[in-house]
Structures are given as C-alpha cells and as structure tokens.
Amino acid sequence: MNVTFCCTDTKAEPWLAGLRMALPHAHVSEWQPGAPPADHAVVWAPPQQFLDEQTRLKGLFNIGAGVDALLKLRLPPHAKVVRLDDAGMSVQMAEYVCHAVIRHFREFDGYEADVAHSKWSYRKPRMRADFPVGVMGLGVLGERVARALRQFDFPVHGWSRSPKTIEGVVGHSGAAQLDGFLASCRVLVNLLPLTPDTRDILNHRTLSLLRPGGYVINVARGAHLVDDDLIALLDNGHLAGATLDVFRTEPLPAAHPFWTHPRITVTPHTSARTLREESIAQIAGKMLALERGEPIAGLVDPVRGY
Ligand code: NDP
Ligand code: OXD
C-alpha cells in the first residue's frame, strides 16, 4: 500500500515517522510533484495539482474535522473523503466552550478588571436559568459540548439538521426550527460545518433573535459569522460579548476591529487542536479497514458538504 502525505503548514517529518510506525507494511512518503500514484493520502489544504495528479486515490484523509477547504477543490473521482472523527478534539472543545461560557456567566472579566485596580468588588450572583445555552451543530464536537454544559446545570438547547435526542438537551432541528431555537438561547455556541447552507448563518437577523444580553461563541469557521453584524449588535447593546476562535481570514489581520473590541475575546484557532498521535492511529486504522473492504466512520458526503 502506498501512502502519500501532503499537508500545507504542517511539519511532515513527525507525521511520516508516525505513519511508518503505524503502517509498517506500507510505503509512506511526502508528496512531490510528479510522484507516482498512491492508494491513500493524508492531507490538509493540498494544492489542486496534488489532487489532479493523484487520480487513483482510494482514501483522502483530512487531518481536521472540517472539510470545507478540501471540498472547494476538484477531487479525484473514486476517493472516499474521510474527516477526523474526534481524535482527541471533542474534549478540548468541551474545555474551551465551558471555559468561555463560565467566564462570561460568572463575570470573571469584570473581577479581573477590578483586581487590576485593587478593588474588592462583589457582584450579585446570576441565575443559571437566565443563561440558556444553544449549541448549533450536534455532531461529534457539538454533542460533547452540549453534554459538558449540562454537567454545569445550564439549560441547554441544540440545533441540528436531523432530529437528535441527547439527555437533558432540548432538541431543535431543520431550518424551520432555527428561529425558535435562537429565541430560546442567551449564549450561542457555533459548531456547524461550513457548507452553502450554513455560510453567514450568524448574521444581524439571526443574532437579533437571541435573548437580550446575548453572548456568541464561534468555534467552527469564520465564514459562519458576518463580522460587521456582530459588531453592530455589540455596539447597540443587544449582545453582551463574544468569544471568537475562527475568522474569515486567518491569521486575523492586524487592523481587524475584533482585536481591539472591548467585548470580544480572540483566540488564534486553537479551541481544538489536531493531536498527531491520536490522528495517526485513527487514520492508519481506517486505511487498513478500507483495504479490507470494511466500513469506516467519518466518511464525508461531498454533496451535503460535511
Ligand atoms: P460533524 O459533521 O460531526 O457535525 C456537524 C453537525 O452540524 C451535525 O449535527 C449536523 O446535523 C449539523 N449540521 C450540518 N449542517 C446543518 C444545517 N444546515 N442545519 C442544521 N444543522 C446542521 O462535525 P464536528 O462536530 O466534528 O465538527 C464541526 C465543525 O467544527 C467542523 O466542521 C469544523 O468547521 C469545526 N472545527 C473547529 C475546530 C477549531 O479548532 N476551531 C476544530 C475542529 C472542528 P446532523 O447531525 O443532522 O447531520
Ligand atoms: C478542524 C480545525 O477542522 O482544526 O479540525 O479547524
């Protein structure tokens, strides 16, 4: 079995070494233009030339959960597109989102500002019932996040394409239930894949439906959010703040107003990192399963877009 590796912005050597250990009978190499055809590829943001040349691929393994960038390219005709299926990301996402929700709910930013002035401040406890959290996207990451938030007794709502039953989470599904879902929430967590249906979904109309004093946590993709609409709703007081991990342009340009907005917290696309060891173990296992003709989890439907 021939395995090729083509990942932009990723150091190849540790991945190649790990893949060779996990697949001792395979030939694993880094892709070079004109390289012979491989059976499987491990990719992140590959150039179109790679996909045009590698026409015999059976498996195209994306080293991330989101495949929006990959699906913009012309793909080899028979390759199955496979996304990372958790591989250590869901626990990181649960940590990040719970941290952001709790930081806002418990007003830790306010305490920090007071402490900076040696001020012993006391704030009235806020009621959890007044902070229902909505999770958009109840897939591998969204479900874990929704369950983690329930552990802190927040009222939790979820929205997905098809109906989902998660204990303690009020389920909403489909476009027809989007507005009702949003109106039920004060804190909104976005964990949708970026598809034609979800691009710009966090806009003036939808964010206005959140309860007054709403809070937005975007950890999915920057193009879900209309930047100017968020700023307008923060500035008119409808929204209380936002924590943003993903942006339309990454790295976030130095002049972007998100950097300096007093009620926006920015992190550099770090909420759930790809973990190399977990990812290699998962990918190698799936390559071998595909070679044996067995079904695998994490297959992407290119028409659906995720
Ligand atoms: P999944 O594919 O497992 O889950 C996607 C969820 O979104 C599903 O519940 C799906 O519904 C729902 N969904 C998709 N389209 C729609 C729609 N049109 N309307 C309503 N619901 C919809 O993805 P993951 O949970 O693994 O990952 C989610 C996203 O998180 C990734 O695509 C990526 O963009 C982002 N991500 C960000 C990271 C970061 O570091 N910031 C790290 C990893 C991922 P249904 O269940 O019915 O199919
Ligand atoms: C991913 C990401 O999609 O890191 O995995 O954003």
Side-chain angles (χ1 to χ4, degrees), residues 44 62-68 84 89 219-221 246 269 272-274:
W44 181 257
N62 187 56
I63 59 165
V67 288
D68 43 291
L84 278 185
M89 280 192 277
V219 277
R221 287 292 182 262
V246 287
H269 199 141
R273 304 293 297 272
T274 293

Side-chain angles (χ1 to χ4, degrees), residues 35-47:
D39 301 299
H40 298 281
V42 177
V43 299
W44 181 257

Side-chain angles (χ1 to χ4, degrees), residues 64-68 83-86 89 93 136-143 159-164 172-175 190-195 197-198 201 218-221 224 245-246 269-274 304-306:
V67 288
D68 43 291
R83 40 68 58 92
L84 278 185
D85 200 357
D86 194 335
M89 280 192 277
M93 199 53 101
M136 302 178 91
L138 293 173
V140 175
L141 304 182
E143 176 170 350
W159 185 65
S160 48
R161 208 156 83 128
S162 53
K164 292 261 138 46
H172 308 252
S173 59
N190 177 34
L191 270 165
L192 290 167
L194 182 63
T195 69
D197 288 339
T198 65
I201 195 164
N218 188 18
V219 277
R221 287 292 182 262
H224 284 127
D245 186 50
V246 287
H269 199 141
T270 196
S271 51
R273 304 293 297 272
T274 293
R304 200 176 63 161
Y306 70 102

